Amino acid sequence: MSRSPRPLFEPALIRSALAGSLRKLDPRAQWRNPVMFVVYVGAILTSLLWVQSLDGQGDAPSGFILGVSAWLWITVLFANFAEALAEGRSKAQAASLKGLKQAVQAKVLTHPKQRHTHRNVPATELRIDDIVVAEAGDIIPADGIVIDGAASVDESAITGESAPVIRESGGDFSSVTGGTRVLSDWIVVKITVNPGQTFIDRMIAMVEGARRQKTPNEVALTILLVALTLVFLLATVTLFPFSVYGVEVTKLGQPVTITALIALLVCLIPTTIGGLLSAIGIAGMNRMMQANVIATSGRAVEAAGDVDVLLLDKTGTITLGNRQAAAFLPASGVTEHELADAAQLASLADETPEGRSIVVLAKRFDIRERSSQDLTFVPFSAHTRMSGVDAGTRQVRKGAPDAIRKHVEALGQRVPPDVTQVIETVARRGSTPLVVSDDAKVLGVIELKDIVKGGIKERFAELRRMGIKTVMITGDNALTAAAIAAEAGVDDFLAEATPEMKLKLIREHQAQGRLVAMTGDGTNDAPALAQADVAVAMNSGTQAAKEAGNMVDLDSNPTKLIEVVETGKQMLMTRGSLTTFSIANDLAKYFAIIPAAFATTYPQLNALNIMQLENPSSAILSAVIFNALIIVFLVPLALKGVKYRPLGAATLLRRNLLVYGLGGIVVPFLGIKLIDLLLTGIAG
Amino acid sequence: MTIAAIVLGLAVLALATVCGRPLGYYIADVLDGKATPRSRFRFNIERWIYRVAGVDAERETGWKQYAVGVLLFSVVGTLFVYALQRLQAVLPLNPQAFGAVTPDSSFNTAVSFVTNTNWQGYAGESTMSHLTQMAGLAVQNFVSAATGIAVAAALIRGFARHTSTTIGNFWVDLTRVTLYVLLPLAAVMALVLVSQGVIQNFDAYKEVTAVAQGSTQTLPMGPVASQEAIKELGTNGGGFFNANSAHPYENPNTLTNFIQLFAILLIPIALTFTFGRMVGDARQGWAVLAGMAILFVALWLVAVHFEQQGNPVFTQVGADVARSDTQPGGNMEGKEARFGVGASALFVAVTTATSTGAVNTMHDSMTPMGGLVPMFLMQLGEVAFGGVGSGLYGMLIYALLGVFIAGLMIGRTPEYLGKKIEAFDMKMTSIAILATPFVVLIGTAVAVSVEAGKIGVANPGAHGFSEILYAFSSAGNNNGSAFAGLSANTPFYNTALGIAMWLGRFWVLIPVLAIAGSLAAKKRAPVTAGTLPTHGPLFVVLLIGSVLLIGALTYVPALALGPVVEQLMMSGEK
């Protein structure tokens, strides 16, 4: 499945959005958006006024009423269109997800230990705690936990990542997702969800917006928009008695027409933001999808924009997953070459990335690979915490400093003081020392370095400018952690972290009023994930982690949190900016409509017609047309979102106020004048 | 625009700010209970009041109980003032033997003084006995002001506290503010006023022989100075006499005029410092003060400009209204010669920028645009500087509105002073903001539609419309100044404006307390680089922007049909 960004206006999507905007004329659909409902009622009222005016006895000339009425309907349709388009884009993504829910047959085991006796059951009938087997070539029928076996699984359907991953029972790689394919071997899976609740089902529900609930800020903004609408309703409705009174006492002209008042009302209420509000929300979720993040709610995405503290695991997030040999530091009386030679010998059979990196580093000393005959390899064991090789009676070992110390002391020797000192220096640098011994002689130290990911420092600096504090979580000791923290540019670190300490750290920050985000994948992360305000679980992680989090990153890329934060902020910024723009527009609309509406009673008010609009009806119509067209012009902005730049709050506000506030004041003056020129140009 | 007029205004503003700062800090201490007086005697008064009233001074309450206290106190106060007016004929201290005030006027006046509006449909010297003036009206001048400050204090505590279920004790706040802030200030000011010739006695009115025709003239007497002091300090504005501060017994000379201007601005300005002190960041108070001051100065200068310009029609018929060495020029209609254009225009701006409503000039006689200024200052919701307490809480509501939109624009859940502004707060903010547009616009619409409303208008036409709009703007925003030209002491206006004043006060005040309760319960978010600073020029712009947004967008159409069209007509008659 491809999740590359879709073009904004795909012809097929446009067609279905057009149909959708007509379907949304249903009053029940309109009622959900109070601002647009007012426009909707206005459109109906003006239509009735038009019918009434057909015999020439109407509120205003019937051509004028028709014009206003038509454009009010168009305004409603434009807002519907924006929403339908955003929904359509989401549905298109959901459709490609639904492709995963093919008619899969599950091989259900009656007894977990007898994987060869199974019966076929449609995947849709699987229940929690059913046990199924998936063999090479099978599609895993539903989400579950591997309870037996190990297999390589192609999860590209979910993650877009083509490299297969290993899924095995026990540990942090035991969870499997329905719809993914077993490439080799077999696994026995215990199903963990009921039909309709699988991961893919949740994704589909999410993107389809079927269960889309308004986010807290959206609710608060809607309240404000309703209040503004009521204020303008008061301001325009009361104009009618005011105008009647004016006519009574001046004995001049006619009271303002109902059509003009409805036009004024629709122009003043925040239709721009009202019409685009739900589209912005849907588009935000959509952008998360494109980033391969599944959020369980819009609330979580929005909260991401507020995050103050980011907890990041060191390994895999800040540093590359593996340490690499960086230097050989020999003991006194030993040459670097000798040390390198012994280290290479001890690492020949070591297939770990660390071991490989030692061999690679040794090559620089012209030490060629040698035949491995008459060598006995001693693999790493949790007991000895050393690995190495036996050549005859000669024992070459490498291992953690205290392991080697025990080893040589058992052979009656001691670790020389200069080596002890080197070990300390290396640790202080944030590296890991490995000590090499040849029989009882300590040859020196291999420095294994954590490699900080390229570009990560810049991202942290960016976060700092956003006002987000980064905290590195690591199991390393404080010395090592401090050195890496400094190199990576994080603000703080938690060394020798245990799950309890993580949980405590989150609670402490929350008690100070901070919002905490974290990423995690292991089962032991689950409590902390559940406690954090924004918790992104890696898709490669355990089921427990995924359930504790409120987002799942399909790419299992922990730095994705930064994108999540940006998307959350973008959603809010787009709403705020369009609200400002919408309200700022009102100034020009007043200048267009007020002189026109009261032209017959108070011709003096034409002094306020600073745009020099041609005549009262073209002035009112131009304002209404501008009001409708601006919705369509802003659809791309609503769908793409206002660009977030990691500047300070004040700078960002100043910039957005300038663009959307000042711009919102100026643009309608130009727009309305232009439309007026076109209208009167056509008419004249 | 004369230099003298501008210097006068800036001098008042500067002096009120200089004195407002220590006073504001003192008020903060009073509200925190830290300013317990050393004197045993006064301390006992406070304790004695609590004992008599059965108040547990140690127990703080949540917002609902606080609101119930405010409402209960105000309802009882209204009933008391109503009863006093209806029964004044049989009560003492009534040397002129005034009869009972009519029921509708009594209702209107009772509501008017309890809501700190002091709209006066009656003429004081020919209606109210000395007892009614002192025990009814002047008492409400104190306690309605103290109520405003108490509610503001509750809101400030909402910001200052975190994860708290209480916002203070209304009865304690009310008592302390009255005893330790308003009474001492008013006593000092009353003495100063007396020294300048403001009268203070219980005498019957004096019959004197007029200087000119040998006819006799009645000079009303009464305890004026004591009422005058709190009238200005508490931003009440209800004059002892019908002519209010234009009357020489209320405001005899330019010095008392200056003192009155200063006294009006003193507490509203001081409270911005109280705010800064209580939230622990003086800059926050300065920012709010700056927003208020900029709005005030801009509109005040508009009034000075148009008044100084005078009436162009006069110029056309050959009258010289230009300022010169021999005459101040400008529009002198309705102004006291001892104050002139500059000091009168300043008084107009000060009295309507705050919710005072005292007048030393006839607002009805101002140029149309000059008259638009006081109307617009009221319509902005009385927030620059506003009434004592109510100005600050009104402005903070606008701050919440501005910060909400700004917060969204920078991509964060909006927060002000570390408190996140959420749906409930926005709901209450919206309710508070809707109150006065509703009251003013609906009230005006009803008045121009019914015969009883139209009948009282002295100048039909755009100016008559302004008169009605002004009356409802004044009542709805609890200002109390009158445009004049509207005969408002009728059952229709007494009732309609009475309702407008009640709604204008409590429809705002209760949601404000709800916000205070909601904010107090929240955690305080720490300041980070992503936090919108609320103490810089940007915030001031934001604050002014949101005040103008609601004010301008709501009232522009109505103002266009009143003063704006009138000004255009006047300047068009060339």
Side-chain angles (χ1 to χ4, degrees):
Chain A
M1 182 183 67
S2 140
R3 257 188 295 274
S4 58
R6 291 168 181 282
L8 268 182
F9 295 106
E10 219 172 90
L13 286 179
I14 299 269
R15 272 193 301 277
S16 74
L18 285 174
S21 45
L22 286 173
R23 262 198 311 278
K24 283 173 186 283
L25 284 178
D26 185 335
R28 282 164 303 181
Q30 292 294 318
W31 176 245
R32 263 182 272 148
N33 184 338
V35 178
M36 293 316 293
F37 186 74
V38 172
V39 183
Y40 183 71
V41 171
I44 294 174
L45 277 178
T46 48
S47 303
L48 295 175
L49 286 170
W50 175 65
V51 173
Q52 184 213 16
S53 72
L54 286 176
D55 61 353
Q57 298 292 308
D59 176 57
S62 69
F64 171 67
I65 302 182
L66 180 65
V68 171
S69 180
W71 277 99
L72 293 189
W73 283 115
I74 291 171
T75 311
V76 174
L77 288 174
F78 280 171
N80 289 351
F81 173 76
E83 195 180 86
L85 187 62
E87 283 172 356
R89 285 158 58 82
S90 294
K91 281 212 179 91
Q93 283 186 326
S96 59
L97 282 172
K98 275 181 187 158
L100 295 172
K101 291 187 54 165
Q102 308 147 354
V104 175
Q105 289 291 317
K107 297 174 179 172
V108 176
L109 300 181
T110 33
H111 193 281
K113 291 292 165 197
Q114 297 164 340
R115 66 181 179 87
H116 294 293
T117 50
H118 54 73
R119 60 195 164 85
N120 284 357
V121 168
T124 48
E125 286 173 19
L126 288 175
R127 291 283 183 281
I128 288 182
D129 288 346
D130 280 349
I131 311 284
V132 299
V133 65
E135 292 159 320
D138 286 351
I139 294 201
I140 297 172
D143 301 359
I145 292 176
V146 180
I147 52 172
D148 195 10
S152 64
V153 178
D154 171 13
E155 296 196 336
S156 61
I158 300 285
T159 64
E161 177 66 49
S162 57
V165 290
I166 303 295
R167 292 287 175 242
E168 58 194 355
S169 60
D172 286 349
F173 298 97
S174 63
S175 99
V176 288
T177 310
T180 55
R181 181 182 296 271
V182 176
L183 292 179
S184 67
D185 306 293
W186 55 269
I187 41 177
V188 174
V189 176
K190 186 166 143 191
I191 302 300
T192 50
V193 290
N194 280 326
Q197 294 167 1
T198 64
F199 197 58
I200 291 181
D201 288 322
R202 294 213 315 260
M203 277 167 82
I204 293 170
M206 208 59 232
V207 290
E208 276 191 328
R211 291 193 300 141
R212 205 181 86 83
Q213 286 178 327
K214 284 185 174 166
T215 58
N217 278 315
E218 202 177 349
V219 172
L221 180 59
T222 306
I223 291 169
L224 175 66
L225 295 180
V226 169
L228 286 174
T229 305
L230 285 174
V231 165
F232 291 123
L233 193 65
L234 281 172
T236 41
V237 165
T238 52
L239 269 184
F240 187 72
F242 295 173
S243 163
V244 169
Y245 177 76
V247 171
E248 255 174 50
V249 292
T250 58
K251 314 270 187 294
L252 286 172
Q254 300 292 321
V256 62
T257 61
I258 308 280
T259 311
L261 282 183
I262 292 175
L264 179 62
L265 174 64
V266 169
C267 286
L268 292 179
I269 61 175
T271 47
T272 315
I273 178 68
L276 295 173
L277 193 58
S278 59
I280 294 169
I282 299 168
M285 296 302 290
N286 216 339
R287 278 199 298 280
M288 297 293 282
M289 273 297 290
Q290 274 165 16
N292 266 351
V293 175
I294 305 298
T296 53
S297 70
R299 179 187 286 261
V301 180
E302 204 176 74
D306 290 343
V307 161
D308 300 295
V309 181
L310 209 53
L311 304 187
L312 295 162
D313 270 328
K314 185 198 78 177
T315 310
T317 309
I318 294 171
T319 61
L320 295 173
N322 316 308
R323 295 157 202 238
Q324 295 189 348
F328 294 117
L329 307 164
S332 61
V334 179
T335 66
E336 210 174 348
H337 190 275
E338 281 169 324
L339 173 61
D341 187 66
Q344 191 239 29
L345 192 60
S347 306
L348 273 181
D350 187 350
E351 289 295 338
T352 64
E354 286 88 352
R356 296 273 53 124
S357 77
I358 293 171
V359 173
V360 169
L361 186 68
K363 269 190 184 159
R364 281 198 222 153
F365 294 89
D366 250 355
I367 298 161
R368 265 177 263 118
E369 305 224 7
R370 56 199 107 192
S371 89
S372 49
Q373 286 163 5
D374 68 294
L375 294 180
T376 318
F377 295 110
V378 179
F380 177 87
S381 83
H383 179 65
T384 59
R385 291 165 63 222
M386 293 185 302
S387 64
V389 61
D390 287 346
T393 54
R394 184 181 168 206
Q395 294 185 335
V396 182
R397 294 284 184 276
K398 70 172 200 296
D402 52 338
I404 295 290
R405 185 171 51 81
K406 266 190 209 153
H407 172 67
V408 295
E409 277 170 5
L411 295 171
Q413 289 290 329
R414 307 192 70 84
V415 177
D418 63 306
V419 172
T420 313
Q421 210 174 342
V422 169
I423 290 169
E424 265 173 37
T425 327
V426 168
R428 199 166 301 129
R429 273 205 290 269
S431 304
T432 309
L434 277 187
V435 182
V436 181
S437 67
D438 191 346
D439 286 336
K441 187 181 183 194
V442 175
L443 295 177
V445 177
I446 309 170
E447 179 174 2
L448 289 180
K449 250 188 150 168
D450 260 319
I451 307 296
V452 172
K453 282 185 176 175
I456 198 97
K457 196 165 185 171
E458 288 70 29
R459 301 227 68 175
F460 290 148
E462 209 172 90
L463 285 167
R464 198 168 305 118
R465 283 199 298 277
M466 288 181 187
I468 297 172
K469 181 179 163 181
T470 44
V471 181
M472 182 182 84
I473 309 284
T474 171
D476 294 343
N477 64 49
L479 273 183
T480 313
I484 296 170
E487 195 184 340
V490 292
D491 298 314
D492 202 355
F493 62 87
L494 181 69
E496 290 166 26
T498 61
E500 296 75 41
M501 286 169 72
K502 279 195 211 181
L503 196 60
K504 190 163 151 266
L505 182 71
I506 295 175
R507 289 203 174 125
E508 274 168 13
H509 279 299
Q510 286 174 335
Q512 290 163 15
R514 294 192 170 89
L515 235 64
V516 181
M518 75 168 284
T519 57
D521 50 9
T523 299
N524 61 7
D525 285 332
L529 283 169
Q531 179 71 29
D533 301 284
V534 176
V536 183
M538 301 296 109
N539 192 46
S540 58
T542 59
Q543 194 67 29
K546 283 197 241 179
E547 267 162 24
N550 46 19
M551 286 181 212
V552 175
D553 177 15
L554 301 176
D555 296 341
S556 305
N557 168 10
T559 41
K560 193 66 78 56
L561 246 177
I562 297 172
E563 273 171 63
V564 173
V565 168
E566 284 183 358
T567 306
K569 284 187 181 295
Q570 260 193 323
M571 261 166 77
L572 294 189
M573 282 172 61
T574 311
R575 290 194 196 119
S577 300
L578 289 184
T579 304
T580 308
F581 185 84
S582 195
I583 298 166
N585 275 345
D586 284 356
L587 188 68
K589 291 168 182 168
Y590 267 133
F591 276 104
I593 296 182
I594 294 286
F598 301 97
T600 60
T601 315
Y602 293 122
Q604 295 87 350
L605 282 175
N606 200 41
L608 300 180
N609 181 10
I610 54 174
M611 281 175 273
Q612 300 293 317
L613 302 178
E614 198 57 34
N615 57 58
S617 25
S618 79
I620 293 174
L621 211 51
S622 303
V624 173
I625 294 174
F626 174 83
N627 194 54
L629 290 181
I630 198 72
I631 295 180
V632 167
F633 280 118
L634 291 175
V635 165
L637 183 70
L639 296 188
K640 277 194 300 197
V642 170
K643 189 163 169 47
Y644 178 75
R645 292 179 183 83
L647 306 163
T651 322
L652 200 59
L653 178 61
R654 202 172 303 127
R655 186 187 283 246
N656 282 340
L657 269 182
L658 215 60
V659 175
Y660 298 99
L662 201 61
I665 290 175
V666 176
V667 167
F669 277 103
L670 305 175
I672 292 173
K673 177 68 186 169
L674 189 68
I675 295 169
D676 181 68
L677 285 176
L678 288 174
L679 279 182
T680 51
I682 294 163
Chain B
M1 222 186 285
T2 64
I3 301 294
I6 294 169
V7 169
L8 178 68
L10 295 181
V12 172
L13 213 51
L15 189 66
T17 307
V18 168
C19 299
R21 205 173 117 130
L23 176 64
Y25 292 162
Y26 170 70
I27 294 175
D29 285 348
V30 168
L31 291 170
D32 283 342
K34 279 188 259 174
T36 40
R38 303 235 169 78
S39 142
R40 245 187 93 69
F41 172 69
R42 282 201 299 174
F43 182 65
N44 279 345
I45 287 188
E46 190 187 335
R47 283 250 301 266
W48 179 80
I49 290 173
Y50 297 150
R51 214 171 35 243
V52 168
V55 171
D56 179 0
E58 300 304 314
R59 208 179 66 85
E60 293 208 340
T61 66
W63 77 265
K64 283 180 191 151
Q65 253 185 295
Y66 204 98
V68 167
V70 172
L71 276 177
L72 202 65
F73 183 69
S74 302
V75 168
V76 170
T78 308
L79 294 175
F80 179 75
V81 177
Y82 180 85
L84 210 55
Q85 294 174 85
R86 299 289 293 142
L87 300 174
Q88 68 174 7
V90 296
L91 292 171
L93 279 179
N94 186 5
Q96 296 308 115
F98 290 131
V101 184
T102 61
D104 55 290
S105 176
S106 300
F107 162 73
N108 181 283
T109 305
V111 170
S112 173
F113 278 74
V114 167
T115 58
N116 198 250
T117 311
N118 298 32
W119 169 268
Q120 293 170 291
Y122 61 93
E125 63 269 42
S126 56
T127 317
M128 300 295 178
S129 73
H130 292 340
L131 182 76
T132 308
Q133 295 262 28
M134 288 191 81
L137 308 187
V139 166
Q140 283 303 324
N141 279 354
F142 279 97
V143 292
S144 68
T147 302
I149 297 175
V151 172
L155 181 60
I156 298 173
R157 290 192 190 113
F159 284 110
R161 294 177 177 183
H162 57 96
T163 50
S164 163
T165 53
T166 62
I167 55 170
N169 180 322
F170 170 66
W171 307 106
V172 171
D173 290 338
L174 176 74
T175 310
R176 287 191 178 148
V177 168
T178 309
L179 280 184
Y180 305 139
V181 180
L182 297 175
L183 274 172
L185 280 174
V188 172
M189 182 170 164
L191 287 177
V192 173
L193 289 176
V194 167
S195 80
Q196 293 302 307
V198 178
I199 59 170
Q200 178 77 11
N201 57 48
F202 291 114
D203 297 348
Y205 294 0
K206 287 194 166 57
E207 293 286 329
V208 296
T209 311
V211 185
Q213 281 83 26
S215 60
T216 58
Q217 183 184 354
T218 308
L219 293 181
M221 293 286 126
V224 177
S226 57
Q227 194 165 333
E228 192 66 17
I230 191 63
K231 169 187 117 179
E232 318 291 8
L233 284 168
T235 63
N236 291 289
F240 194 92
F241 304 112
N242 193 30
N244 209 307
S245 282
H247 196 292
Y249 283 171
E250 285 200 20
N251 189 8
N253 57 40
T254 48
L255 179 62
T256 54
N257 196 55
F258 186 86
I259 293 170
Q260 295 200 356
L261 289 167
F262 165 76
I264 291 173
L265 292 176
L266 182 63
I267 295 181
I269 288 180
L271 284 173
T272 62
F273 292 100
T274 308
F275 171 63
R277 165 64 61 97
M278 286 174 77
V279 299
D281 183 357
R283 299 172 307 174
Q284 304 289 347
W286 278 109
V288 172
L289 178 59
M292 291 175 164
I294 291 169
L295 277 169
F296 165 77
V297 168
L299 283 158
W300 156 55
L301 291 180
V302 171
V304 174
H305 170 76
F306 280 99
E307 288 309 291
Q308 191 64 56
Q309 217 176 33
N311 187 338
V313 181
F314 284 11
T315 322
Q316 281 155 38
V317 298
D320 181 13
V321 294
R323 188 171 67 88
S324 69
D325 289 342
T326 52
Q327 63 169 29
N331 173 29
M332 277 301 286
E333 184 190 317
K335 294 190 175 57
E336 291 291 299
R338 65 184 188 282
F339 302 134
V341 171
S344 299
L346 177 64
F347 204 105
V348 167
V350 167
T351 197
T352 51
T354 65
S355 79
T356 310
V359 293
N360 77 348
T361 181
M362 285 301 113
H363 294 188
D364 194 32
S365 297
M366 297 176 78
T367 58
M369 287 306 280
L372 178 140
V373 167
M375 211 181 313
F376 193 55
L377 275 167
M378 294 187 296
Q379 288 164 346
L380 291 181
E382 290 297 9
V383 291
F385 303 87
V388 288
S390 60
L392 182 66
Y393 67 64
M395 197 57 156
L396 291 178
I397 291 296
Y398 279 118
L400 288 178
L401 178 74
V403 165
F404 180 76
I405 298 177
L408 290 183
M409 275 208 283
I410 59 167
R412 274 174 79 96
T413 294
E415 56 191 46
Y416 183 42
L417 300 170
K419 295 302 177 81
K420 285 202 162 30
I421 308 166
E422 292 162 307
F424 179 80
D425 313 295
M426 231 32 232
K427 198 181 287 174
M428 290 302 140
T429 301
S430 297
I431 291 174
I433 280 172
L434 272 171
T436 56
F438 180 89
V439 170
V440 173
L441 290 172
I442 297 287
T444 310
V446 170
V448 298
S449 306
V450 300
E451 212 43 49
K454 288 188 272 197
I455 211 154
V457 174
N459 317 70
H463 193 74
F465 176 72
S466 296
E467 288 168 357
I468 298 175
L469 180 63
Y470 192 104
F472 280 94
S473 299
S474 175
N477 290 289
N478 296 141
N479 178 276
S481 70
F483 210 39
L486 180 70
S487 310
N489 196 1
T490 63
F492 171 77
Y493 277 110
N494 276 333
T495 312
L497 294 172
I499 294 170
M501 290 185 281
W502 188 265
L503 291 179
R505 176 81 161 178
F506 297 105
W507 184 343
V508 179
L509 187 149
I510 292 170
V512 164
L513 286 173
I515 292 172
S518 154
L519 292 178
K522 290 177 203 241
K523 288 185 206 163
R524 190 172 331 151
V527 175
T528 69
T531 311
L532 177 70
T534 54
H535 52 73
L538 191 64
F539 173 75
V540 175
V541 170
L542 205 64
L543 191 57
I544 295 172
S546 42
V547 173
L548 289 178
L549 167 79
I550 297 295
L553 293 181
T554 310
Y555 295 105
V556 156
L559 289 172
L561 297 184
V564 173
V565 75
E566 202 189 334
Q567 181 80 23
L568 290 169
M569 284 169 161
M570 187 174 81
S571 48
E573 286 175 43
K574 291 201 171 99

